[in-house]
Amino acid sequence: MLTASAAPTTFVPHSDAEIVRRIEACPKLASLQSINRALSALVSSEQSLNSQIAEIIRRDPSLSARLLRMVNSVYFGLSARVNNIEEAVFFLGLRQIRELSMATPVIEELDQLQRTTSENLPWKELWNHSIGSAMLTREIIASTSLHIDDDTDYLSGLLHNVGKVVMAYAFPDELRALMTMPATDAQDFCRLEREVIGWDHGRIGAHFLTGHKVSDEIIHAVHYHHDPGRAPRHQVFAAAVQIADQLVRHTGITGGFEQVPPVEADSWLELDGWKILYGADGPESRLARASIANSLQRLPAMLQGLVG
């Protein structure tokens, strides 16, 4: 069992003003302003033809490659390889096409942002963790009574660790030091971030996103995803992301930035997020546990090949 570690004395936390200045010097993500609007409109329409959707996907080589890798993964278990975009659309279905169309431009742009840093960091692990968290956040929200008619749930999971990318750009020395420090769990690592930098990655990511005109629900989910009980509003989204983050870590897709012990099975039942969403161990909690067990089995195969 690890004991809580202390931040090194060589770092003095920055003032709020300095942290804000560095965050706001980071390049903005154009993809968050207009996430594949043409494609989103098509996949939201029941009248859309696969050929129309395929035509828009073909204009985006990165999305096309990601889509073909996914449909040819072991998750679908097809006997013959699919090389045609229209066939891939048929097999994947509109929901997964829509999710890929959101994740691809965001991940591509975050990848470009990290290339402006000199750090050799585990970005592929972070992208896999982000996409996995997005998928599970959507499934967790769907298991509650909350009805979502947009993509707030998916984007909350996808962006919950955007603060780590910003840290690599704005606080590279501090991030490099933090990655060497063992912590007892993800919340303890957030404490180390606050001691070294002044803010943790949730607060850093939330401030970064306020300049992108994303919804209040997403900003609160990102800010409070390790402590959803502190969210002044929209706790459901922060709670779902907290559980999704823990579940993805349990599969071994940790995100790669923290030195924390493996997540034990069912440890998410003790999270504040679980209690916010499902309360005590009643019928809703038991149904959620069954649904999550099924999702965890499918997740590694669903993620295979999505991040190149």
Side-chain angles (χ1 to χ4, degrees), residues 147-293:
H147 175 69
I148 306 293
D149 58 4
D150 59 16
D151 299 304
T152 301
D153 48 0
Y154 189 86
L155 288 171
S156 295
L158 184 69
L159 296 170
H160 75 285
N161 276 337
V162 70
K164 293 181 180 178
V165 185
V166 176
M167 285 165 62
Y169 186 93
F171 306 98
D173 295 337
E174 292 88 342
L175 178 60
R176 193 183 305 111
L178 282 161
M179 290 177 65
T180 68
M181 301 178 200
T184 56
D185 54 27
Q187 280 189 313
D188 186 43
F189 191 80
C190 289
R191 178 187 61 79
L192 290 173
E193 290 173 331
R194 292 190 292 271
E195 291 181 8
V196 170
I197 295 173
W199 292 10
D200 60 38
H201 69 276
R203 187 176 178 187
I204 289 169
H207 187 86
F208 178 70
L209 292 175
T210 57
H212 291 77
K213 298 180 181 176
V214 300
S215 73
D216 202 39
E217 290 90 338
I218 295 172
I219 289 170
H220 276 73
V222 170
H223 191 160
Y224 297 103
H225 70 271
H226 284 302
D227 196 1
R230 286 185 53 242
R233 53 192 180 277
H234 309 307
Q235 285 192 352
V236 167
F237 290 95
V241 174
Q242 184 190 39
I243 298 167
D245 174 80
Q246 192 91 335
L247 290 167
V248 177
R249 289 171 184 272
H250 174 66
T251 68
I253 306 168
T254 64
F257 279 70
E258 306 109 337
Q259 287 192 40
V260 295
V263 172
E264 298 295 331
D266 289 339
S267 60
W268 43 87
L269 304 179
E270 304 304 317
L271 294 173
D272 287 345
W274 189 275
K275 292 161 189 170
I276 289 168
L277 291 183
Y278 306 116
D281 194 22
E284 281 190 3
S285 178
R286 288 193 289 273
L287 283 171
R289 289 175 69 176
S291 173
I292 282 168

Side-chain angles (χ1 to χ4, degrees), residues 46-179:
E46 293 180 4
Q47 286 76 43
S48 297
L49 299 174
N50 285 355
S51 57
Q52 293 175 296
I53 296 169
E55 182 56 37
I56 289 183
I57 291 171
R58 286 191 194 98
R59 299 174 199 167
D60 185 335
S62 179
L63 177 57
S64 297
R66 210 175 291 265
L67 180 147
L68 289 171
R69 284 201 301 268
M70 184 174 191
V71 79
N72 286 305
S73 72
V74 295
Y75 174 64
F76 287 91
L78 302 178
S79 56
R81 184 170 181 82
V82 173
N83 295 306
N84 179 286
I85 296 295
E86 199 165 332
E87 280 185 62
V89 170
F90 172 79
F91 284 114
L92 284 174
L94 295 187
R95 173 178 154 170
Q96 286 180 313
I97 294 291
R98 185 175 176 84
E99 290 176 357
L100 276 177
S101 75
M102 284 186 291
T104 296
V106 174
I107 296 298
E108 293 291 320
E109 208 167 1
L110 287 173
D111 197 49
Q112 288 172 15
L113 175 59
Q114 63 87 7
R115 289 174 196 273
T116 65
T117 74
S118 59
E119 299 301 311
N120 182 21
L121 297 173
W123 297 113
K124 183 175 179 179
E125 178 82 0
L126 185 67
W127 307 150
N128 268 316
H129 180 86
S130 298
I131 296 173
S133 297
M135 291 174 173
L136 289 186
T137 298
R138 171 158 279 180
E139 294 199 18
I140 290 163
I141 292 280
S143 74
T144 71
S145 58
L146 185 66
H147 175 69
I148 306 293
D149 58 4
D150 59 16
D151 299 304
T152 301
D153 48 0
Y154 189 86
L155 288 171
S156 295
L158 184 69
L159 296 170
H160 75 285
N161 276 337
V162 70
K164 293 181 180 178
V165 185
V166 176
M167 285 165 62
Y169 186 93
F171 306 98
D173 295 337
E174 292 88 342
L175 178 60
R176 193 183 305 111
L178 282 161
M179 290 177 65

